[in-house]
């Protein structure tokens, strides 16, 4: 699902591309005219059960007018466990933590 966001004078789209068949997830930001700036955070996706996913981030990149300006592979492997609760079709709450560090919790509310 795409969210439209304003960042300064620019309007952009923020969305997730979930590809469970490829075991991949992409968090994307497209900003500016003709999506001149694109940023992405990519990760491996493991579906543990109906409500729990394991996400391992691979790398982040930014492109300006189609030219890659940043491509950084994560130095530290960080696996996060997410519990996803759908309240409505397009409204979900995600609770998460870094695998092995359950004392550090994250929460996202997505609509």
């Amino acid at each position: 699902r795409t969210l439209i966001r304003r960042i300064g004078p620019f309007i952009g789209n923020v969305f997730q591309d979930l590809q469970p068949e490829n075991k991949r997830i992409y968090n994307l930001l497209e900003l500016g005219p003709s999506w001149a700036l694109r940023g992405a955070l990519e990760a491996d996706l493991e579906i543990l059960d109906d409500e729990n996913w394991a996400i391992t981030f691979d790398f982040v990149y930014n492109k300006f007018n189609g030219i890659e300006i940043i491509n950084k592979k994560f130095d530290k492997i960080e696996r996060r466990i997410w519990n996803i609760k759908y309240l409505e079709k397009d409204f979900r709450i995600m609770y998460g933590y870094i695998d092995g560090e359950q004392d550090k919790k994250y929460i996202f509310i997505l609509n």
Side-chain angles (χ1 to χ4, degrees), residues 82-98:
W82 293 100
N83 178 270
I84 301 145
K85 302 285 186 197
Y86 281 87
L87 303 177
E88 295 177 7
K89 181 182 175 212
D90 292 326
F91 184 62
R92 68 185 187 254
I93 298 175
M94 296 175 60
Y95 305 90
Y97 60 89
I98 297 171

Side-chain angles (χ1 to χ4, degrees), residues 48-66:
L48 303 174
D49 58 42
D50 288 344
E51 294 185 350
N52 294 286
W53 297 356
I55 306 290
T56 305
F57 293 106
D58 290 325
F59 60 92
V60 62
Y61 68 83
N62 290 308
K63 291 182 179 181
F64 183 71
N65 280 337

